[in-house]
Amino acid sequence: MSEKKKLRVATTSLAGCFGCHMSFLDIDERLIPLLELVEFDRSPLTDIKHCGPCDIGLIEGGICNGENVHVLREFRKNCKILIAIGSCAITGGLPAQRNHLDLGDCLTEVYLTEAGLAHGHIPNDPELPLPLDKVHPLHEVVKIDYFIPGCPPSGDAIWKFLTDLIAGKTPELGHGLIEYD
Amino acid sequence: MNNTSTFQLDGTDVPFESGQTVMQAALAAGHYIPHLCYHPEFKPHGSCKLCTVKVGGRTAASCTMPAEAGLEIESDIEELNALRRTLVQMLFAEGNHFCPSCEKSGNCMLQALGYDLEVHTAGFRHMYPDRPLDASHPDILLDFNRCILCELCVRASSEVDGKNVFALAGRGITKHLIVNARSGLLNDTNIALTDKAMEVCPVGVILKKRVGFKQPIGERRYDKRPISAQALDDAPRAPSGAKHE
């Protein structure tokens, strides 16, 4: 078993909720056969902070701030195959619901004028990544090779997609596994 | 077989009655051709172009094309399905189709076509247009974010309800659905919950208030069956035994 080189996989969540990662864990005991085929690089499972050279990168969440752009570019540079997973990565999703609003107005409403706020101020710690004017899906920033839609995609959909891909087939979902909601 | 009353669709003989379009005959005979703006109860519109087929190497909208004996029509071929995929992608990129929060999700034809054509991404740059809702009516919500300009509500309101509540205004990318009232608000029209216009929206624009999630996500129309199977059930079928072939 160990002679065959394992595929190296990195995962991260950008402007997402980690729901897609939770759904990934919903493949349940199939994680064990998966771990005979792959090993994890940067991922919440390993806590590695930077992505090294990988075969497959899985990214959930869209692009809402400068740090997201850096991480996405690091993944693109290091991953042979980059997969956008979930509605936010593919369409901008929930965070993109602010796209028709002015960013300054959003921050003012949330931190300054909303009822019940006392001495509120817009967070300005230099460590905080700066929000972008608009939220973008991943494919608007780098080339994305595959997309697994869903909010989140089911564990079964993720399993089908990854096993197709690892087997060298064009991944297909089909009715019941392809969902946008 | 009397070959004056059949045409070929993807190599299969399809019988038709005079006056039928290619789409009507195909659906009646149990052959699905993808479509969005076509509805069996209304005059065809020919605008969404999802139902485009190839007839003798040329493209035509099957919902408006009269059936003719001996036609050789191609529909379920990768060349056309790739174009259909692109059309669906453009519709998704052009509006604000946020399925996870849409109460039409699972009952939406645009979404179901995306599923059927294996559209995994809109691909294009999303336009995120700013389209405020009309919540003026006590029982009906209009969410223009999802409008695909199929004019089914326009046709239903004028042809069936006799009311002309809806219309399309503007041209090109600025084209949009409007409400026929001086205020522009739905509450100032005579629309009623029982109107045909309330039933026909293929996406989630015209919504009854307070019933949105009565039917749970996952148990809806196109969650259970792909649209390609469902559309055949919905189509008026040829009466059995009426054909003499």
Side-chain angles (χ1 to χ4, degrees), chain B residues 20 34-35 40 47 71 153 159 173 176 209 217 241:
Chain B
Q20 274 188 319
H35 56 271
S47 63
L71 290 179
C153 60
E159 289 174 29
I173 197 64
H176 60 288
K209 288 184 178 175
I217 298 274

Side-chain angles (χ1 to χ4, degrees), chain B residues 192-208:
Chain B
L193 279 175
T194 49
D195 283 357
K196 188 73 183 171
M198 288 298 302
E199 298 169 22
V200 292
C201 183
V203 291
V205 178
I206 305 174
L207 300 165
K208 275 182 199 162

Side-chain angles (χ1 to χ4, degrees), chain B residues 9-59:
Chain B
L9 177 62
D10 292 328
T12 314
D13 283 330
V14 176
F16 68 92
E17 288 159 21
S18 104
Q20 274 188 319
T21 61
V22 169
M23 172 71 82
Q24 284 169 331
L27 287 175
H31 302 284
Y32 173 69
I33 299 175
H35 56 271
L36 261 180
C37 73
Y38 170 76
H39 187 292
E41 293 171 49
F42 295 100
K43 230 166 77 181
H45 197 239
S47 63
C48 78
K49 302 298 174 196
L50 259 294
C51 74
T52 299
V53 292
K54 278 183 105 172
V55 189
R58 300 180 66 167
T59 55

Side-chain angles (χ1 to χ4, degrees), chain A residues 4 11 19 21-22 65 70 87 100 105 128 138 164 167-168 178:
Chain A
K4 190 150 188 235
T11 77
H21 275 83
M22 297 306 290
N65 65 35
H70 288 296
S87 283
H100 65 278
D105 289 349
L128 289 173
L138 304 184
D164 275 3
I178 179 169

Side-chain angles (χ1 to χ4, degrees), chain A residues 181, chain B residues 98-112 146 198-208 212-213 215 217 220-223:
Chain A
D181 58 11
Chain B
F98 182 49
C99 298
S101 81
C102 178
E103 52 188 82
K104 195 68 178 270
S105 192
N107 289 326
C108 170
M109 283 182 72
L110 178 64
Q111 183 192 57
R146 303 157 185 160
M198 288 298 302
E199 298 169 22
V200 292
C201 183
V203 291
V205 178
I206 305 174
L207 300 165
K208 275 182 199 162
F213 293 95
Q215 188 185 21
I217 298 274
R220 298 179 171 198
R221 191 175 172 81
Y222 302 118
D223 291 330

